[in-house]
């Protein structure tokens, strides 16, 4: 399975993402510079964390106009998996691939710690390696991870099982309904504030994040069998 | 040429943590009269005259890039320079 790791000016978790795929998952990964216009040959797209374009104006606001983004949108429309972590989540929300928006943490602090997440939906192509209701420990590091949407959107997210991860004990940013990660309606685009790519080896404190990538690999393999 | 001032604010329904923090500080400085503080963005944009309607150009800019309509409102003032 071949993963694209999109690099924007200011991305800084791209290397962690590549490392997670190549060294922990044991699959292929390649950087794709934001100025590129093709994702041909890739089976999944990863939008890493960081501060794309310095987060000027709003987080993710300028990145959504990068050359590669129309191709990411097309890629997502074909049903293939797109995962955005942290700044990647912000970019997906700004791009309209995911509903809602990420705003300033309600305590105004940049939070950098490991938190407990609850897997709310273990039936997605990103979470099948977990059990429903399972609690996992994953690091967060963000200043604008406060997920916001209006009541109608929240009701829709709940009705469609799009809320995939919630903060299990402490909510580090004040997000609505303790949301830590959501998918699009089709279920093939996941945005999450916590960093699964930073939790793929025991030496850095745990492997709880590896399940996200293993789930993606499993879904891809099943697709190959049926294709 | 137009000199445009664009004001971007969080929607009323969105909690503004920066504004809340500043309000707390004002109150602790004994400005008990303060009832609410909202913090937004202010932009100055110079736009050359063209055959496109300046309002249409500005609305498009605001909807496309300058604001996120999910969480923000905007208004602008236009001065002919």
């Amino acid at each position: 399975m071949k993963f694209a790791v999109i690099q924007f000016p200011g991305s800084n978790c791209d290397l962690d993402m590549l490392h997670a795929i190549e060294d922990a998952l044991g699959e292929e990964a390649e950087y794709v510079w934001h100025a590129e216009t093709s994702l041909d040959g890739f089976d999944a797209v990863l939008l890493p964390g960081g501060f794309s374009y310095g987060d000027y104006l709003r987080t993710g606001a300028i990145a959504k106009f990068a050359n590669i983004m129309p191709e990411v949108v097309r890629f997502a429309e074909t049903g293939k998996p797109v995962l955005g972590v942290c700044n990647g989540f912000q970019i997906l929300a700004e791009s309209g691939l995911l509903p809602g928006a990420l705003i300033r943490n309600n305590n105004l602090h940049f939070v950098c710690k490991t938190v407990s997440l609850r897997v709310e939906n273990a039936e997605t192509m990103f979470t099948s390696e977990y059990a429903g209701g399972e609690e996992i420990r994953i690091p967060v590091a963000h200043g604008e991870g406060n997920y916001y949407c209006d009541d109608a959107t929240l009701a829709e997210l709940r009705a469609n099982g799009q809320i995939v991860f919630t903060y299990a004990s402490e909510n580090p940013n004040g997000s609505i309904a303790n949301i830590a990660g959501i998918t699009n309606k089709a279920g093939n685009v996941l945005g999450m504030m916590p960093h699964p790519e930073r939790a793929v080896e025991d030496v850095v404190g745990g492997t709880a994040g590896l399940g996200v990538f293993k789930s993606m690999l499993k879904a891809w393999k099943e697709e190959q069998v049926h294709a | 040429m137009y000199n445009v001032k664009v004001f971007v604010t969080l929607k009323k329904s969105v909690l503004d943590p920066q504004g809340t923090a500043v309000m707390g500080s004002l109150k602790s400085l004994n400005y008990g009269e303060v009832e609410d503080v909202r913090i937004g963005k202010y932009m100055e944009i110079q736009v050359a005259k063209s055959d496109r309607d300046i309002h249409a150009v500005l609305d498009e800019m605001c909807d496309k890039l300058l604001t996120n309509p999910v969480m923000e409102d905007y208004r602008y003032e236009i001065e002919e320079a």
Side-chain angles (χ1 to χ4, degrees):
Chain A
M1 185 175 184
K2 194 169 173 188
F3 292 75
V5 178
I6 312 289
Q7 288 181 308
F8 299 96
S11 295
N12 63 15
C13 300
D14 41 347
L15 202 137
D16 306 46
M17 205 63 111
L18 198 87
H19 172 73
I21 301 302
E22 287 187 335
D23 303 313
L25 190 68
E27 294 293 317
E28 264 186 276
E30 222 172 79
Y31 293 129
V32 174
W33 186 235
H34 67 101
E36 297 289 328
T37 53
S38 168
L39 288 166
D40 286 351
F42 289 103
D43 303 303
V45 168
L46 306 172
L47 299 180
F51 298 86
S52 57
Y53 301 88
D55 277 353
Y56 294 146
L57 192 63
R58 289 183 313 279
T59 57
I62 299 178
K64 78 173 161 181
F65 293 111
N67 277 347
I68 196 66
M69 284 310 292
E71 187 63 12
V72 172
V73 172
R74 264 197 296 278
F75 190 90
E77 282 167 355
T78 65
K80 290 181 184 172
V82 175
L83 167 66
V85 170
C86 201
N87 193 229
F89 184 8
Q90 293 160 343
I91 295 168
L92 290 174
E94 277 285 336
S95 305
L97 280 170
L98 291 173
L102 281 310
I103 60 176
R104 187 72 69 97
N105 295 350
N106 67 346
N107 58 13
L108 294 175
H109 293 167
F110 187 99
V111 284
C112 183
K113 53 164 64 166
T114 299
V115 299
S116 292
L117 300 184
R118 182 175 297 111
V119 181
E120 297 287 346
N121 184 350
E123 312 282 309
T124 78
M125 63 167 79
F126 305 96
T127 51
S128 63
E129 289 283 319
Y130 300 108
E134 184 179 348
E135 286 193 14
I136 56 174
R137 301 271 299 161
I138 305 269
V140 293
H142 59 250
E144 300 193 29
N146 183 348
Y147 181 77
Y148 168 81
C149 65
D150 60 27
D151 293 342
T153 306
L154 181 61
E156 204 172 307
L157 291 176
R158 282 186 166 135
N160 298 327
Q162 290 172 252
I163 301 172
V164 172
F165 295 113
T166 56
Y167 299 108
S169 45
E170 157 208 25
N171 180 335
N173 51 47
S175 63
I176 197 163
N178 295 319
I179 284 172
I182 56 163
T183 63
N184 62 344
K185 207 167 180 180
N188 67 308
V189 178
L190 170 67
M192 60 190 294
M193 288 314 297
H195 288 266
E197 79 283 5
R198 292 190 190 173
V200 295
E201 288 157 310
D202 282 321
V203 70
V204 292
T207 58
L210 196 52
V212 171
F213 305 106
K214 281 186 173 171
S215 300
M216 292 171 80
L217 179 60
K218 190 167 116 187
W220 178 79
K221 280 184 174 162
E222 281 167 7
E223 175 113 334
Q224 301 305 301
V225 171
H226 295 304
Chain B
M1 175 81 131
Y2 300 103
N3 288 328
V4 183
K5 296 170 181 173
V6 181
F7 303 88
V8 180
T9 50
L10 284 171
K11 279 183 193 292
K12 288 254 156 50
S13 56
V14 179
L15 185 79
D16 175 3
Q18 281 177 288
T20 307
V22 171
M23 179 171 69
S25 185
L26 286 172
K27 283 191 180 295
S28 71
L29 290 169
N30 283 325
Y31 296 106
E33 302 91 336
V34 174
E35 290 184 354
D36 194 22
V37 178
R38 307 280 293 173
I39 292 181
K41 291 176 194 157
Y42 166 66
M43 304 169 204
E44 292 179 348
I45 306 177
Q46 274 82 52
V47 186
K49 287 190 176 171
S50 72
D51 50 2
R52 299 177 66 194
D53 174 50
I54 181 71
H55 291 274
V57 170
L58 281 168
D59 285 333
E60 200 180 295
M61 281 195 239
C62 286
D63 291 335
K64 213 186 240 184
L65 176 66
L66 300 182
T67 75
N68 179 337
V70 173
M71 58 177 173
E72 291 169 329
D73 291 323
Y74 66 86
R75 65 183 176 84
Y76 50 76
E77 294 169 2
I78 302 171
E79 274 174 26
E80 288 207 37

